[in-house]
Amino acid sequence: MKVYLEVGSFLKRFTSEQTNLEINISGDKTAAEVVLSAGVPEEEIGFITVNGQKVDSDYVLKENDIIRVYPIIVGG
Amino acid sequence: MIYEKYIRVLYLDLTTKKIRIEHRKDLYSYLGGVGVASKLLEENLKPELDPMDPQQPVIFAIGAASTIFPVVTKTVAMFWSPLTGELGESYAGGRMAMTLFLAGYDAIVITGSSSKPTYITISRNNVEFKDARAFWGLSCDEVGRVVREREPGGGKRSIIRIGPAGENLVSYACVCVDTYRHFGRLGLGAVLGSKKLKAISIVGDRDLPIKNFKDYFKVYQEIYNKVTDTSIMSKYHDAGTPVNIEPLNAAGGLPTKNLRQNVFEHGDKISGETFAHKNLVRKMACTGCPVGCIHIGQFRREFDKGHEYEAVSVSYDYELLFALGSFLGIKSSDEVLQLIEVVEKLGLDAMSTGVVLGWATEALAKNLITLEQTLVPLAFGNTQAYITAIEYIAYKKNEFYSILAQGAEKASEIYGGKEFAMTFGKNEMPGYHTGYGSVIGPTVGARHSHLCNGGYSIDQSMKEFDKEKLVEKLFKEEKERCMLNSLIICLFARKVYDRETILAALNSIDYNLTNEDLDAIGERIYKTKLRIKKMMGYDGKNVRFPKRLFETPSMSGQLDEKVAYELLDMYNKKVEEMMAKEDA
Ligand code: SF4
């Protein structure tokens, strides 16, 4: 099945500068698995939304889900 | 002082114009930075006098590793804050730490006040008090320029100065440091203003041979490589802290319109990405930092109607985008930069200014104050009104602006609206509504800053909310940062400087420290700060939380006031236990 991954300006360095990815997955896959397999390192993931809602990393994806990954909040 | 077992302190008295230097062996166990500065503040404070009494001291100090290792770039200033009425502690980068180090001073204690505007020049062999009457009234950039032209030492010189806000004793006036750096928070600018001290120029030009170069260089290179070759620091250079707007806005943690909202509907127009596309022109670094996180943005301004345009450059970071952006409902990156420029010229703390104006905007809408008082129609998104209001604050245009110049806490005491005066311990809030960490952290933090213990960061990393764990983490981090700030590491590099790295660094330059020593130093410094706070009349039990924190949901959901007070009690107990223990 097909899901979509959106990557913001900072994290696109990990996805070869791609910001909108169409990904084919088979079987049950979690949102975090898709984000990690797209190349975003775990320590750079702040949180993930699916269809605009913040989800836990073990959220199991459904057909046509739109995943968006956000960077961690940085500062002193 | 490097390779010496003492701290070299320069004492300057503005009243008598007397200068003396002391080699203080007794301060060595405080390492440097905030440790030494706390001790010097404790010794020189006059608790019986007003915080703004000219006799009160101002302390500047550099750390045990300043300039010697990468990203160890900060100078600390300690004073009695006119804003909170208690501990004033503020950090600035730029060139100041390097120049103090190469001029041979670990700390400066300034007491007294001058009868007329003065600036001080400091070098290795000479200190002079000079006439600044002609500079009084100049903006921060203008006075920087004239001191630069008059005084020698370019390249190895640091110039710190106040603007009109400091001269006019605005309680949250800042001190500008070199180019685009500041002692921003808690009103050091007003304290220098009360002493009629317009500027200080420091020239550092010693050569300092490193002993045992091989060991030192090995540690230096390891740190340098960690800083430049890993992703720990690259995000600060590439995107910088403005990257925070996007995740905070998406997660509901971005304080917007005086925290009436936790999401800004125009967040994308002031995001780091938007600034990078539309305004970013270059990046700069503090001396001794290979990262260079200081983002400079530009906007165009017409000289006058129908005339040519000038390009105006200012630095921006996340806290500014929040305070002069989302918090005031400003909808474009150009307008945020315009507000930053006004604040910069007048010498105000951007964070306090934005948060104070947020309160005033809501107070006007709720008819607690009137247009006759504000003189301009303060409304979220009205940049022009805010520009004028900022000028009115700096010059204390009328009685209302004189009160606004004392902070949101004071203004709400007089006009009402305490429930939406967004302060922690009387210091205006930072840009994080992330959970209990972002509420309790700055409330219990020694200087009421989010940087005291990084509560907002704990909110992000804590998988499940646990009261005990949160309080323990805040307490531990507060002590740890006392130790880090005695070196004084830029806190952006705190993940580079783990304990092992700190010990390797310090021991390569002749310290002989263990992990336990670092624990003891952190605790010793924290206890000193708490003693000073007590002298200044602070009682952890008397702090309040603005109700708004519990009305607008945070990134971690709705917060409960009762839980916040419970956490506060738990933290206060920990402090009491620590204070009852003998020093290690
Ligand atoms: S990371 Fe930024 S603030 Fe910190 S020392 Fe480097 S340039 Fe200065």
Side-chain angles (χ1 to χ4, degrees), chain B residues 191-241:
Chain B
V191 182
L192 297 195
S194 76
K195 297 183 176 304
K196 293 258 187 315
L197 181 55
K198 182 72 178 171
I200 305 174
S201 167
I202 305 153
V203 174
D205 57 2
R206 292 193 292 181
D207 263 342
L208 267 174
I210 291 283
K211 293 187 205 169
N212 201 352
F213 189 77
K214 218 172 126 207
D215 282 358
Y216 160 78
F217 195 58
K218 186 170 167 279
V219 182
Y220 182 97
Q221 268 198 315
E222 275 165 18
I223 298 172
Y224 188 90
N225 291 342
K226 250 211 263 185
V227 169
T228 54
D229 293 349
T230 67
S231 69
I232 308 177
M233 298 301 291
S234 61
K235 53 174 81 69
Y236 289 100
H237 173 79
D238 297 345
T241 55

Side-chain angles (χ1 to χ4, degrees), chain B residues 8-60:
Chain B
R8 193 161 189 260
V9 187
L10 172 66
Y11 292 84
L12 306 174
D13 190 282
L14 279 157
T15 311
T16 60
K17 306 283 187 284
K18 286 223 165 87
I19 299 157
R20 81 175 196 278
I21 292 170
E22 281 184 20
H23 292 178
R24 298 277 306 265
K25 286 191 180 136
D26 59 316
L27 294 179
Y28 190 68
S29 61
Y30 287 82
L31 215 49
V34 75
V36 163
S38 300
K39 219 34 213 160
L40 288 168
L41 181 63
E42 188 179 30
E43 282 173 18
N44 289 283
L45 197 77
K46 308 262 181 303
E48 68 287 2
L49 300 178
D50 190 77
M52 292 283 272
D53 190 287
Q55 289 187 55
Q56 298 294 1
V58 170
I59 321 290
F60 293 102

